[in-house]
Amino acid sequence: MPGFGILAHPWWVPVLYVLLLGHITNLCVTMYLHRSATHGGVKFGPPVEHFMRFWLWLTTGQVTREWVAVHRKHHAFADREGDPHSPLLEGVWKITFGQVFYYQKTAKDQDVLEKYGKGCPDDWMERKVYTGRRGSGILTMLVIDLFLFGPLVGLFVWIGMIFWMPLLGGVINGIGHAFGYRNFPTRDTSRNIYPFGFWVVGEELHNNHHADPRSAKFKAHWWEFDVAWVWIRALSFLKLADIVYARGVNAKEYAARHFKDQVAQPVAGRIEKAREKLDSLRERLEHASEGLEHAMAQVRERMESARDLPDAARQRLRVSRDRLEAARLRVREALEHVKSGAQAEFEVAREKKDHARERLEEAVTQARTALEFARSTLEQAGA
């Protein structure tokens, strides 16, 4: 068994230790917190996901729901009033070196957590350990570091790990909205800091991400490099990750397809385009509402004959019913929002349009999820 402080010398060992563990932390942040939990572009198998959740608790004390909620709000109000950490509003150096304080302020807002933190893990480990004892992980890491490196070096190693994530987060949210190049004319000020995403494991390609947030792949040109995407592909090959969505076209084609109207058309043209998208979303909502009603009828029919089903099947039917009901209420709320004047608001405020579209798309996504769960439940119950 290694002795006390055995890794304190030579000097490059603790440095290498911090860099290696910091790199693993970066991977857990971008792969799990960012690309999976926040945007849903990739889903990891239980062994990988639980490891990343444990590692983040051990090295950062980070709570998944808080990180997800703050980042989703950032996308909803990127570089506009309401953005938790915009260098355009607060100043680039304030965010670069003090982003953690803006993050903590937003993370304490229960309304933000309730609105933007949906869909995060809520199992026993999350409630009792990762959230309930969030400080225990980094204290455990302190004990490990003191044992491996001795009191003085171990303390500096631990401090390096503590400041690792806040510092790099400030670089991405500060520098990444101020300096660099842009592949896509997004409405925010996001930039790709540089094209080789290794040091911050692909988060350097910040403009690419803001152009297509759900994509699990951040690179857009062949000459750009996203090391986290390499890991995701490797885990997918090993059947430990399921890539839900990754942008499959190059930057030029994607920009022409999704950003041409924002570059060439005047404001009036963009408003007309927004109306068309709203009409399309309303049709999708109405179609989703019909599908939900049909699925609810099937679930009720199954519930009436549930006495002959196993307990597990009855429980899944109850869960399916509750999820369908929640989705139906969400669809109705979104439709009411449209009918109450969202189109008129588009004429005077583009921000209103963005908010309405977000609510509609969220409702459609929730409806689809509920329908898929209901179909799966009905198939299993029928079996």
Side-chain angles (χ1 to χ4, degrees):
M1 181 177 180
F4 179 77
I6 193 172
L7 298 182
H9 303 285
W11 65 268
W12 54 265
V13 173
V15 173
L16 181 62
Y17 176 87
V18 172
L19 293 177
L20 178 60
L21 268 60
H23 186 72
I24 297 173
T25 299
N26 286 348
L27 286 171
C28 292
V29 170
T30 189
M31 291 167 60
Y32 170 64
L33 287 179
H34 196 182
R35 308 188 198 205
S36 180
T38 301
H39 296 295
V42 58
K43 298 296 181 184
F44 296 100
V48 177
E49 179 175 313
H50 282 290
F51 167 78
M52 290 192 287
R53 289 169 59 191
F54 170 77
W55 185 266
L56 289 168
W57 171 76
L58 185 67
T59 58
T60 70
Q62 182 64 61
V63 175
T64 298
R65 186 167 181 244
E66 293 178 357
W67 199 99
V68 167
V70 173
H71 190 70
R72 285 175 178 170
K73 188 179 182 185
H74 166 62
H75 275 274
F77 298 94
D79 291 322
R80 294 184 288 119
E81 189 66 34
D83 188 337
H85 43 64
S86 170
L88 185 66
L89 303 177
E90 306 294 342
V92 60
W93 301 118
K94 283 186 178 181
I95 299 301
T96 301
F97 296 107
Q99 184 255 355
V100 63
F101 302 109
Y102 293 91
Y103 169 88
Q104 289 176 344
K105 178 181 177 181
T106 306
K108 293 177 181 178
D109 189 330
Q110 291 301 314
D111 292 336
V112 172
L113 297 182
E114 181 65 27
K115 182 175 182 179
Y116 295 101
K118 294 180 174 63
C120 294
D122 191 33
D123 54 19
W124 185 91
M125 285 294 292
E126 189 67 38
R127 294 192 304 271
K128 301 298 184 180
V129 180
Y130 300 148
T131 300
R133 297 182 178 275
R134 67 171 69 190
S136 300
I138 54 178
L139 291 178
T140 301
M141 197 69 200
L142 173 60
V143 173
I144 294 173
D145 291 340
L146 292 176
F147 177 78
L148 293 176
F149 298 96
L152 183 60
V153 177
L155 182 61
F156 278 103
V157 166
W158 182 75
I159 291 174
M161 290 301 305
I162 291 299
F163 282 98
W164 184 275
M165 183 174 166
L167 178 60
L168 293 184
V171 168
I172 296 303
N173 292 309
I175 302 299
H177 280 260
F179 305 105
Y181 68 97
R182 285 165 62 86
N183 285 327
F184 305 102
T186 57
R187 291 192 178 101
D188 52 65
T189 62
S190 59
R191 300 286 195 275
N192 296 325
I193 301 175
Y194 45 79
F196 308 112
F198 181 82
W199 180 248
V200 201
V201 292
E203 296 289 334
E204 296 94 331
L205 302 170
H206 202 54
N207 173 248
N208 293 354
H209 168 61
H210 269 262
D212 192 9
R214 193 162 181 250
S215 176
K217 178 175 67 174
F218 285 5
K219 63 175 293 184
H221 289 289
W222 66 267
W223 41 265
E224 293 174 333
F225 180 70
D226 175 9
V227 70
W229 175 241
V230 176
W231 279 102
I232 291 172
R233 290 291 300 273
L235 290 170
S236 176
F237 177 79
L238 296 173
K239 307 300 182 184
L240 293 173
D242 178 22
I243 300 173
V244 179
Y245 168 68
R247 183 175 50 253
V249 297
N250 60 36
K252 183 177 181 180
E253 184 176 347
Y254 187 84
R257 184 181 300 175
H258 296 280
F259 291 96
K260 182 178 180 180
D261 63 312
Q262 296 181 21
V263 177
Q265 294 182 2
V267 173
R270 295 202 300 269
I271 292 175
E272 186 62 32
K273 190 73 173 181
R275 283 205 194 96
E276 295 175 1
K277 290 181 178 179
L278 178 64
D279 291 338
S280 174
L281 284 169
R282 183 166 52 187
E283 292 176 4
R284 288 161 58 191
L285 279 170
E286 292 172 350
H287 180 71
S289 181
E290 295 174 1
L292 285 168
E293 294 291 347
H294 179 68
M296 283 290 292
Q298 288 183 299
V299 170
R300 291 193 188 100
E301 182 180 344
R302 289 286 185 183
M303 289 291 290
E304 291 175 359
S305 60
R307 297 176 182 177
D308 300 329
L309 294 175
D311 291 342
R314 287 203 301 271
Q315 180 62 29
R316 285 183 63 85
L317 282 171
R318 293 190 189 98
V319 173
S320 177
R321 180 191 60 189
D322 294 342
R323 292 181 67 172
L324 283 167
E325 184 63 29
R328 184 173 62 173
L329 291 175
R330 186 72 177 179
V331 168
R332 286 180 178 177
E333 178 186 337
L335 283 171
E336 287 300 322
H337 181 73
V338 174
K339 294 175 182 178
S340 66
Q343 289 199 47
E345 293 173 353
F346 285 0
E347 299 286 353
V348 295
R350 186 173 61 188
E351 289 79 4
K352 294 284 187 180
K353 180 265 293 183
D354 292 337
H355 178 61
R357 184 174 61 187
E358 289 163 8
R359 294 183 64 180
L360 291 170
E361 289 178 343
E362 183 179 353
V364 170
T365 300
Q366 185 173 353
R368 284 176 176 171
T369 302
L371 283 170
E372 291 174 0
F373 184 82
R375 292 192 187 102
S376 174
T377 301
L378 291 171
E379 289 174 0
Q380 294 186 20

